[in-house]
Each structure stands twice: as C-alpha cells, then as structure tokens.
Amino acid sequence: MDPSLLAPVPPATLAVAMAVTAVSAALQGTIGFGFAVLSVPVLSLVDPRLAPVPQLLVTLPLTLSMAWRERHAVDLRGVGWVLAGRVPGALIGVALLRAADKRSLDVLLAAVVLLAITMLVSGAEIRRRPATEFGAGVVAGTMGLVSSIGGPPLALLYRNEKGATIRASLAAIFAVGIVLTVTTRVVA
C-alpha cells in the first residue's frame, strides 16, 4: 500500500473538501442529482483519497432523507427497473475495474458523462419504458461502481418529470445504488 494514503489529510484540504461537498449537496437537494458529478472530479484532483468512495458514503444520508421527504412522489415502477439494471451494471463495473487501467476508465467515464450532458442540452428525449429504465440502470450501475458518478443517464431518463418525482425517484435509486456499489466493491 502507498504510505501517502495513510498520511492525514491537511486541514486546508479538508476545508476545501467540505466546501465542495456542501455546494454539491445543495445542488443534489435542489435538482435531484449532481452531487457526484461536481464533487468527485474536483475532490479527485484536490486529493485522491477524498473520492470516489468517501463521497458515496457522504451521499447516503442525503439521498435517504430526500427519498423519505418526497416519498409520495417516488416512481416505484421506474425505480424498480432502474435498480434491476444496476445489478448487472455493478458486475460490469467490477469487470472494468479489473481489466482496464485508470486512464482508460477515466476516458470512458468522461465520454459517457459528456454524451449524457450533450443529450441533456440538445433536448434529446428518451421515452421512459422498462427497457430504457433497465438500460439506464445498467449504465448508472457501471458508472457508479467505477467512479461514483451514476447520475447522468438517470437525469436524462427523468428529465421531463416533475421536480418532486425527479428528486424522490433519483434519491431512492441513489440510496439503494450506494449500498449496492459499496457492498460490491467490498466483496470484489
């Protein structure tokens, strides 16, 4: 193990991490996603020990409280299909972590995130039906396991829903997905 991974994180670095985390949490709480999209890349550059897994653990209480707060608006059918897709997605993520080097994974994930953002900005519409929900779950599960950034395909999937449905459904997906991702990482 690299000895630098065991050294304490300097207080100034922790202050930056807390500020980034607070802004990311405000974004997530407002629109329903974006915590990992903002915090993981920034904190990975600040200090690699701060992301991606620590950000997963920090996000769990936030997503649980969001899902509970707006539980009346959770799209149970869609959430079920997405979560079903996250299971094979997590397995694909494990395979990618074992087979690919970090640089290749970074390029792949950046391309997927940029593609999703491009589709969001372009107005491309994805009809929500079981196949697209399952597919988005597979992509989100893969991305979530590899980088902790699984939100872009889900944001694209839910983009035309009401705010409460977006926030509640994505929070439910993220809460279960975090547990699945951390468990899969530990087992693998």
Side-chain angles (χ1 to χ4, degrees), residues 2 4 10 25 41-42 57 73-74 77 97 104 106 108-109 162 173:
D2 182 1
S4 68
V42 172
L57 299 176
V74 173
R77 184 193 58 79
L97 284 176
S104 299
D106 288 345
L108 174 66
L109 292 169
K162 293 180 179 161
I173 292 165

Side-chain angles (χ1 to χ4, degrees), residues 37 78 98 125 162 165:
V37 172
R98 289 186 175 165
E125 190 171 324
K162 293 180 179 161
T165 301

Side-chain angles (χ1 to χ4, degrees), residues 3 13 53-54 76 97 113 167 177:
T13 302
V53 175
L76 292 174
L97 284 176
V113 169
R167 289 186 300 272

Side-chain angles (χ1 to χ4, degrees), residues 7 112-113 117 150 174 179:
V112 171
V113 169
I117 291 170
F174 293 146
V179 172

Side-chain angles (χ1 to χ4, degrees), residues 77-90 130 133-135 137-138 176 180:
R77 184 193 58 79
V79 167
W81 280 109
V82 170
L83 291 175
R86 284 199 69 133
V87 173
E133 292 163 342
F134 184 85
V138 171
V176 174
L180 177 64

Side-chain angles (χ1 to χ4, degrees), residues 13-31 33-36 38-40 42-43 50 54-55 58-59 62 66:
T13 302
L14 286 176
V16 169
M18 288 191 308
V20 169
T21 300
V23 170
S24 300
L27 177 66
Q28 179 92 15
T30 303
I31 65 171
F33 87 105
F35 184 93
L38 177 59
S39 70
V40 170
V42 172
L43 293 179
L50 300 173
Q55 291 303 295
V58 168
T59 310
L62 174 64
M66 287 176 63

